[in-house]
Structures are given as C-alpha cells and as structure tokens.
Amino acid sequence: MARKASLSGFPEWLPAERLVELHVLDTLRKTFELHGFSNIETRAVETVGQLLRKGEIDKEVYGLSRLQAEEGEAGRQDPNALALHFDLTVPFARYVVENSGHLAFPFRRYQIQKVWRGERPQDGRFREFTQADIDVVGDGELPFRYDVELALVIAEALSALPIGEFRLRVNNRKLAEGFYLGLGLEDTAGVLRSIDKLEKIGPEKVAELLRTELGATAGQAAAALALAGIRTTDTSFVEQVRALGVEHPLLDQGLDELAQVIGAASTRAPGQVVADLSIARGLDYYTGTVYETVLVGHEQLGSICSGGRYESLASKGSRTFPGVGLSIGVTRLVSRMLAEETAAATRSVPTAVLVTLAHDDSWPEAQDIAAALRARGIAVEVAAKAEKFGKQIKYADRRGIPFVWFTSAEGSHEVKDIRSGEQVPADPATWTPPAEDLHVRILPAASPAAVTA
Amino acid sequence: MARKASLSGFPEWLPAERLVELHVLDTLRKTFELHGFSNIETRAVETVGQLLRKGEIDKEVYGLSRLQAEEGEAGRQDPNALALHFDLTVPFARYVVENSGHLAFPFRRYQIQKVWRGERPQDGRFREFTQADIDVVGDGELPFRYDVELALVIAEALSALPIGEFRLRVNNRKLAEGFYLGLGLEDTAGVLRSIDKLEKIGPEKVAELLRTELGATAGQAAAALALAGIRTTDTSFVEQVRALGVEHPLLDQGLDELAQVIGAASTRAPGQVVADLSIARGLDYYTGTVYETVLVGHEQLGSICSGGRYESLASKGSRTFPGVGLSIGVTRLVSRMLAEETAAATRSVPTAVLVTLAHDDSWPEAQDIAAALRARGIAVEVAAKAEKFGKQIKYADRRGIPFVWFTSAEGSHEVKDIRSGEQVPADPATWTPPAEDLHVRILPAASPAAVTA
C-alpha cells in the first residue's frame, strides 16, 4: 500500500488494490444507472483551442506530438494541435454540441474516464487520475429541480461506498452575489475571490483584502464574512441570512434555490448534505448552485466531489445548453481508501476454486469440472501440472483461492476449504460455495476510526 | 451509425452505441474473471525509452510535452520523455518487473484500456482504441498448457459476444522454423517474412522472393509454400506436414505443441480454433504459439484478436518472465458491430420507469416511489415538472423509457407500458417490470446474414 509510483503522479494499483477501485467504479455505475444516467466516453484528446477556450491557463495541459512528426505538422502552440483533456466537462460540452441532433434532452449522462494534468504531484493530486462525472444538460432551459436531484444522487452514490462519513457542502452563487450587491459591493467576483481565501489566510486578512482591494467598509467586510460563516444542516440558514438585514432580488432567488436543495436533502440524506455559505468554487464557470464534498476526518485531502450549475455549458449559434453536474475524484478517493485501508477485498483474485490434477492426463476432465462450475457463475482455475497435492494447495493458498477441488481415480469428487481445512464430497453439477465466497467482496475495514464517524 | 468522428481516427459513440460497447466489455470481463484472471490498469504513459526498447519504430508513438513546458525540460527525443502507450504488452511487462515481489506467479491478468497510435486512420484502424488483453506470466518457466488454456478462454469469450462466427487461427513458430531448418533454409526469419506476404502478393511472388532473396531452390520454396497452405480444424495437420518429408527436432516440438492446442480445441471449441500454418505474426516477438482471429465474412477487417507465446516477456537481472497472451481489438470489433448493426440495445437508456408528477409539489412523493423501485434494482427517473401527462409520456417515449408511473390524488398507483398502451394498478413496494425489461439487453440483430453463419 505504501509502494511508490515508478513515475511520480501516475499511480498504479496491485491486483488486490484494483479490486477496491473496481468496487468503487461498479458501485458508482450501478447508482448512476438506477437513476437513469446514460454512459458515454469521449476521446482522450481535444484540440488545444478547445481546451483553452475558456482561458484555462491555470490547468497544466499535456500536448501531443507524433515522435516521427514531420516538419510543418501542427506545433504545440497551434490551436489545432492535440492535447490530453484535463477534465470531462470540456469534452462533454463539445460532445453535446456535436451530437445535439442525436440526443434526447434533458440529457442525463455519466462518464468515468482518466484525465491528465501536468501539475506537480502531491498528496491527493495526481498527473493521471480517474474522474466520475454526472451531468444533466437541457436544450435552452433546465428546471432547477435537477440541482436538487443531483445532490441526492451523489449522496446516494457516496453512501454506497465504504468511505465513511462525508459532507456534501452546497452554496449558491446567486445568493452570495445578491448579498454582495445588496451590501453595495459591485465587484462580486472580487469579493468571492477574497472569501475563497478564508480557509487559507483567515477572516482578519480577508477583511483587510476586502477593505484595501475592493474598497469595502468595515461593516461591509464584516457582513460578507458573517455570510461566509453560516453553515446549517437544514434550511435555517435562510433566517440567519435574513438576520443580516441585506436585501436584493438575486439574494432572494439564491436563498430560495439553496433552500430547495437543503430542504429535500435534510429529509432524504440527513446530515450528508449541508448548506455552507463559504463555498465559492470555479469562479468563471458556475452560475447558481455550487457543490463540494469532504471526507469527514480527511478534510485536508480537499474536495472529493465538486460541481455546480452552469447556465451555458455549451452553445451552438443562438442555442444554449444549461447544465448541472458533479465530478467525483475517484483516484483521490481510492488512494486514500488504500492508504488508510478503510476497505479491503475478501480475497486477492476472482478465483473461488482451484481444480487440482491427480495425473497429468486428467486435465481435460478437470476442464469439464471447471466448465460445470463456471456455468453457475463460479470462478475457477485448473492446475496446469499434476504436481504433488501439497504443492497445488500451496499455489491456491499463495493466490488466496479459498477452495481446492480433488477428483479421485474412481471419479469421486471432494472439495476442501483451505482456510478451515474442512473437506467434503461434492458434485460438479450442483456444488456452490457459500454466498459470501462466490464473488470477491469489498468490506469496510474492521478498525472503526476510518469507517464510522 | 454513419456519423463521422469529429477528429479522424478518434471514434466516439452515441449513448445507445456505447451500450453495445459496454456489453462487449462486461462480457469479456465476466468471462476472464470466471477463469481467474485479475484485472489491472497501467498508466497511459511510458517513457520513450521504454516504448522503443524493442526498436518498435513501426508503431507511430504520440509523445507528450506540457504546453507550459520550460526550456530544458525533456524534449521528445529524450528517452526519459513521456509518450502514450501503443499497446498493453509493453506496459504490462514493465508492471510485472516493477511489482514482481507483490505478484503470485503464474500471474493471470486481464487489462482493458485505451491505446494510441499516430497512424493514418482507415477502416478498422484508429488512433485511439480499446484493447482487452489476457496474459499468463510465469517466473522463470510457464507450462505449455497455458497456451492451450488461453485459446479456450478466448474462444469462450468471443463466443459470448453477438459477433457471429469467428476463426481463431493458430500456428507455432517452432514448427515453421524447424521446418525451414530441416529444409536447409537457415534464415528462418527471412523465410517467415516472405511467407507473411502470401495473402498480399500471392504464392508465385513469394516463391520468387524465397529464391532470389533467400537463395532457396525451387524445391525448398515449393515445400515452404506447401507448409503455409496447410489448414485443418483437427490435428490432421500433423500428418500433412509429415507427408512433406522434412525432419528437424524443433519441427517435432512445434508439431507436438500445436497438436496439443488444436486437439483440446477441436473437442472444446469445435470449428472455432483451427490450425493455420500460414500465420506468422510479430516477427521479433513470439517464440512458439501464435494466434490471430478473423470474423467469418469480415476477413478484410483484419485480425480482431492476436497474440502468442513469448519466452521472455520481461526480465530482471537473470530472472526472466515467460508469458502467453492474446489481445482483443475491442474498438475494431465494436465499430464493425455498429456499422453492420449486428447487435442492438433493447432501449437507449438504462431507465425502465418514468415516475410522472400530477402536481408540482408531488415531487417528494414521486421520489419515494422511485426509491422503492430502485431498491429492487429498477432504474427510475422522476419527471422534473408537472407538465400535462401527454407531455410527460412523450418525454418517456422520446428517451425510450418503456414504463410510465401515475399516482392519483387519492394515492392510487398505475403503471403504463407505453409500447402496448396497457395500464394496470401497481404497488411501488412490489411491482417489477417483466424480466426482459428490467435491464437494457443487447440482442443480436434479427437480420440473419450478419449473425449466423
């Protein structure tokens, strides 16, 4: 678990670790599909022009060039040059525009793929990592209710993972901007940028920034900080904001929207989805609801799932496609699960049974037994050589295979649970391992700290 | 289906097409796991030095460089520079060496990932495509039986796909080399290279090549061509080769090995695995068994699954890791399935039921119904707005959702199959759709030509 990646920032898992990651991916897929999300994949590459369209120069992009490129091929500064995508939102926006004639809107999609960023690797930050995104995108308009629904879907998906407690923190950009405008602070983006530094530099320095850089009065700065201090698990944040005495139509709209999300979540995902009026996120991007998520006890890991509402994910002529979506940082989550051993596989291989060979020429018969077991969904390997039984059992033990199958010269069959040593007669046509041994399962670690609150 | 990729060589599927691809991937995974193969993923990038280690300059490699790279960073000619992998074998070899201390040998792994090649795209050839590989790798030695087993696993995996008939063609490098040596032709690689051109240039030109470039006599050339002409569905190829009157110990070994593969396959996968003594493949790489696979009726598509035995997949000091493996060209296969419409999804979304809204404030109640259905594995969406029922039904119809759920003001429930129009009372706690509507299924097309022989 403490192995170092051979290339910094490019993690690779051992087979037993990959089982944990597969469990996470399978669980997310199952939840998303139960909620009617369709899967798509987009190509790993975009044109540089597409990737930098929104001026995302803060993301470190990996450009591509053929090793055997000839003179005159697109150089990496050329907007038509290819580069690896750094998230799944930019490619999805392109996909929606390109395929809009073939999609039924509102289009619900999930997408689970690797993305690449040439950043300096650090704890929880990688150069290659997997994201799992869900978005709903409308054609022209998209009811606000999807902002509520997506919070619930994500809470359900994260609850199904053996990751312990989490908090999905929700805020609303309209609420914050309306509040600042109501206060008389016109540069709302500037205020948000300062408030975003709250955790890093503390309230006093933020207040100073607001005063010196944005011309706020001490009262305005105090009010902005008071707003950012509001955190509730129910809709009582509305009253707390109202108590600050600021009025603005945009504030009203933001309060109403956030109350819809928190109101539904406080009954459907109690304690998991909270209002947190300090959340800023993606300054140039989101236009209403914003989400981020922390693992309780692992807050310093950063957000494991973020997103929000964007009034124009993409546009095609005068047609715009508003959307709301969230992105789970699968690799960040899995790397923490593995490092903290919060979950583990019941065995390290899919195999439930090793069929041994009594003689070297009993391999075809052993294959028949294996085929009979596999027909009932039991994962089986057949020994490749008729070594001494002790050696064949040792092989199973070394690989973590729980059951070993023996066939006598007379054709009678026995199966041994090598963990208990129990050996019983068995019929290839009917024998099945106990349900808990049929498939590899991923269980939360017994140690309480990491799993429960 | 006839949509053009917006970037040549980088195919992207619509949601309903992706369902076909997912079915292929799920089926392969299930088969591989039933046979005890563990899944791993390796990073998408390798160092240029690693990728070109075997002098693979025929593969067009995509090099990487950060768009914001500073002067002095590794250039793309630098062996430490990064590039995208062009197959899954080179990364797997590196992974085995790096993690040999953590793996149980023989190590059985499957790996399903995208690979990239900067080649000129053409029918069946892409710049980004998915491969599904299985390999068994030993530490120092690996019994030949795995060569037999892998042919059977692949035949089982391909049989489970709605792709129609296929032929897994098997040959053995030792057989061919032994034969050439027995004939007195010492440059066996040269002969193989000429024989490999058989399909392209025909027997007469190959005979000429053998005579002019390799100094073969007319008799030697004729014998080499006679060998390449042998194709059998059982082990009768042994007699046919013997009848050519050539003797060599390596030939004996090759005949014995190939007879083991074809002997087992002729009973376990009759007609699917054939001996084809013209197969050459991967000249510098494979040392014994070689495999390639064609779709019957789509031979011009090229091989959809190839591989072989390599005595030294990787080495670490004096330790070598022999292996045997095959790689399925998933994208090539799926692109043909989609183009020929050999299989299709029973619906285009995972959703089985749309829960409608009678009033805008019945959304929470509709969510309760949805949750009750999802708890039984039924994929459900809830309408976002209480539009006229006709409009809500039209939404379901447009998305391909088969069932629509209605709740009256008195709390009675009914569910309508919008395909038949049948509407019946239903209880959210017990109602389940017919088994064939529970999940999306991928069915072979009704049109016979593409599916049956």
Side-chain angles (χ1 to χ4, degrees), chain A residues 405-425:
Chain A
W405 192 281
F406 302 101
T407 306
S408 74
E410 298 77 39
S412 70
H413 301 281
E414 297 204 335
V415 65
K416 182 194 189 90
D417 182 333
I418 63 171
R419 297 159 304 185
S420 67
E422 193 191 12
Q423 187 165 335
V424 295

Side-chain angles (χ1 to χ4, degrees), chain A residues 3 6 12-13 18 26 29 34 39 41 43 63 65-66 76 94-95 99 114 268 364 380, chain B residues 3 6 12-13 18 26 29 34 39 41 43 63 65-67 76 94-95 99 114 268 364 380:
Chain A
R3 287 171 319 116
S6 62
E12 290 183 326
W13 310 131
R18 172 64 177 163
D26 290 344
R29 174 180 173 185
L34 277 176
N39 185 232
E41 287 199 335
R43 49 178 150 84
S65 54
R66 296 191 308 122
R76 57 185 188 153
R94 176 191 51 76
Y95 179 96
N99 297 294
K114 299 223 168 87
R268 301 193 167 271
V380 184
Chain B
R3 287 172 317 116
S6 63
E12 289 183 326
W13 311 131
R18 171 65 176 162
D26 289 344
R29 174 180 174 185
L34 277 176
N39 186 231
E41 287 199 337
R43 47 177 150 86
S65 54
R66 297 190 307 122
L67 286 193
R76 58 185 187 151
R94 176 191 51 75
Y95 179 95
N99 297 294
K114 299 227 169 87
R268 300 192 168 273
V380 184

